[in-house]
Amino acid sequence: MIAHWRKLLAATAAAMALAVAGPAAAQTKTLKFVSWQKDERGVGDWWGEVIKEFERTHPGVKIEWTKVERGAYADTMTTLFAGGQPPEIVHLASFEFQKFADNGWLENLGPWIEKSKLDLKGWSGQEKCTWQKETVCIMMLYFGYIMAYNEEILAKEGLSVPKNYAEFLAAARKTTKDTNGDNILDQFGTGHETKGGGGQYLSEMLNYVLDAKANWTDADGKITINTPEMIEGLSRWKTIVKENLTPRDLSAGEVRQLFVDGKIAMKIDGPWLYPLMEKAKPETRSKLKLAMVPFSPPVGGSSNVLAMPSEIADETKELVWDFIMIATSDKFQSLFATLASSTPPSPRADISDAKKAVPHFDLLVEAQRAAASAGVDRIPTGLELPFNEFAKMVMEEAQRMIIQDLDPKAVAATIQSKAEAIQKQ
Amino acid sequence: MKSTSRYSLARPSRRHWLGYLLLAPAVLLIALIIVYPLLVSLDLSFQNVGIPRLGQTRRPFTTVNYERLFASAEFWNACWVTFKLVVIVTFLCSLLGLATALLVNNKFKGRSLARLFVALPWAIPEVIAVVIFAWIFDSSFGLMNWLLVSLGLSDQMINWFSDPQAAFAVVCAVMIWKGYPFVSIMALAGLQSIPEDFYHAARVDGAGPWQRLVHITLPCLMPVLGVTMVLVMLWVFRDFSIIYVLTGGGPLKATQTLSIMTYEHAFGFFKMGYASAVGIVTLVVCIIASRLLIGRRAESIY
């Protein structure tokens, strides 16, 4: 009888233990990862591979990968951080992480880099991740602009690929036309986003500004807008837009699509244009080629960063760091080149496979190096925190110059004083 | 038993308790999702804060946001743009809504179909409608420019979103298109509640169509139209998606309303304290305008 009770007790205890331990064994830890790049061809596939590798090497840990559109990204991330619920893996654009770092929301990665002996020597754009003497992020892409052109459109006008601004302007003027005689321009020499956010507008302008040897600030962060060089840069921008050498009021995505559809002769853009070109109709695809930009230096700079929230549990930080280590490993940096058809920031990445798969890869590397050696970045030094406000102001003053046909000299003076006021805030 | 009957909600003197009890969840929910954020926003507007955080130590009290706001040309421009938009859109929505309601209130063949078409813009999601209009008014490849040039009404492409006046006109047009069906539906409901006897009596007295409209239809519709106009006005005041998707408030702040300004300072420039001040001022203006309109409605009817 006693034995029977013992058996019953043992069975009950075992059942209870199973009931308690069962769910615990099945329980998985989840890391949230929010990104705007989830469905992007190439780079989205690469993130997918990094996640797969992380989950493979960390049994019981899952990554919840959520897409948030770029247009709503800053709002979403701000709300998540402000509500004390940031994603564990923080993915931000390189022009917006400063606000988060300034609030003390990003972990100082210095000790983590040191502990894991992560070699970031020669890592493109990594210096941009330093905020108040702390490394708050890892740069995930530093690029240089390239020029895509429609060979057929240029050939029809007897034009060769332009090598400088004068040739580019002449080619743009010659290829902007009404091709079907309905008095409406339907083919454009070039294409820029002239509607939308200030950041993209500034990048579009920067092509002409940099070639005129101007920049918004110097290396010390001093505003350098009211200069003869900047006046020349503004004049060039005014010429391109005012003469309708670019379609007006389109977003960056729409302009890229027009180029892919064969409606634009020359498009200056980042490496992400290539995957879109691949999607062009076969009859157009064969006419779309790539070359170095006819401007010196090319626009380039940092794109996006990986970071870690400062206020999460230490064991979670360990996991996030592991994720960063996988993303920054030589293996995955090499894979980035192949999958994203883009230049990885790591100097140790093996890009031989990418060179075989992507015919223009050398061009991307050359553009990246040209931008990096000239110290180009889309975010001006000294204006990192109020960048959005600065970009919006420059966009509005440039629009005013075009709409009201203002003298670029006066516009440069106005932008200079307004930029100084923004910087002093 | 005694205590049960003491607290019984069935007792006539306790019946109002039941009402409060039934209302309590809704009141609590409203307090949670409307009143609490409003109080947080009011509190933030008196702090010089960039990105706030729940549970963060409160920054010192300051009126600097309001001082900056009232001294800012951008704020007064946004007020002016909002005022213009509210007046134009509310007036034209009401006019068009009333006209279409009067039209589809008549008996004619295909009336049901006409009613469907009148109400259709209201049923289309706002963002989808705006994207369609953005393509219609596209400066380079849009249908509107093609029509204007093809019909010889314009000799050049109009840069709808690069010209301040044109951009404002496009925003007004889209808002009117999206808003008039609401007025139309409400007015139609009001028209159907006007007793036919009034019109018979007026006809006997020799009143013409215009007199019947002015002396019977409009006065009888005023209770409905008054409330509808307040609702349309508040919609225009707070609408964000139409303007944001179409113009983003540009060019040159020509379409920047108070709601766009609030959003831009909050999520574009991360100045939550300043943005909260804009939001609070917008709320106060909305309350004053609503009270004025509702008060006026009461006078007109009674």
Side-chain angles (χ1 to χ4, degrees), chain A residues 27-54:
Chain A
Q27 204 173 44
T28 54
K29 184 168 176 61
T30 305
L31 300 182
K32 288 192 289 286
F33 174 36
V34 179
S35 173
W36 67 94
Q37 293 182 327
K38 190 177 178 189
D39 296 329
E40 280 183 26
R41 196 176 168 187
V43 72
D45 302 330
W46 179 76
W47 282 118
E49 290 299 319
V50 175
I51 290 169
K52 228 184 265 175
E53 175 70 5
F54 178 85

Side-chain angles (χ1 to χ4, degrees), chain A residues 71-72 74-75 78-79 81-86 96 99-100 103 105 182-188 195 244 246-250 254 258 263 311 388-389 392 396-397 399-400 403-404 425, chain B residues 51-54 56 59 68 134-135 138-141 145-146 149-150 155 157 159-164 244-248 250-253 256 263-272:
Chain A
D75 323 4
T78 307
T79 311
F81 270 92
Q85 298 290 324
E96 67 196 359
K99 278 279 178 190
F100 295 84
N103 272 278
W105 291 347
D182 63 357
N183 293 325
I184 297 171
L185 289 176
D186 48 28
Q187 180 182 289
F188 295 88
K195 176 196 180 187
N244 288 321
T246 168
R248 300 281 281 271
D249 307 330
L250 293 181
E254 290 163 344
L258 278 180
K263 299 281 183 192
E311 292 175 10
N388 287 353
E389 198 173 354
K392 183 79 194 276
E396 283 182 358
E397 292 309 321
Q399 285 177 334
R400 201 185 309 281
I403 293 167
Q404 298 175 0
Q425 278 176 19
Chain B
I51 308 177
R53 192 162 191 185
L54 289 174
Q56 201 177 34
R59 302 270 176 110
R68 266 190 57 210
W135 274 104
D138 181 80
S139 305
S140 306
F141 298 94
N145 268 340
W146 179 80
V149 173
S150 302
D155 57 352
M157 303 290 275
N159 293 315
W160 293 103
F161 300 111
S162 299
D163 179 83
Y244 191 72
V245 177
L246 269 181
T247 64
L252 310 183
K253 296 187 167 66
Q256 192 188 57
Y263 175 82
E264 187 163 70
H265 281 275
F267 295 108
F269 307 156
F270 301 109
K271 292 177 177 172
M272 296 289 183

Side-chain angles (χ1 to χ4, degrees), chain B residues 65-118:
Chain B
N65 291 324
Y66 288 97
E67 286 164 28
R68 266 190 57 210
L69 186 67
F70 292 121
S72 145
E74 186 190 9
F75 169 69
W76 293 112
N77 174 68
C79 286
W80 174 234
V81 171
T82 311
F83 175 74
K84 279 194 297 181
L85 204 64
V86 166
V87 170
I88 294 171
V89 174
T90 309
F91 175 71
L92 290 176
C93 270
S94 304
L95 203 67
L96 200 59
L98 185 61
T100 48
L102 287 168
L103 181 76
V104 296
N105 193 41
N106 289 314
K107 285 178 185 151
F108 59 92
K109 211 176 172 183
R111 186 173 72 162
S112 302
L113 201 65
R115 282 183 177 177
L116 177 75
F117 277 114
V118 165

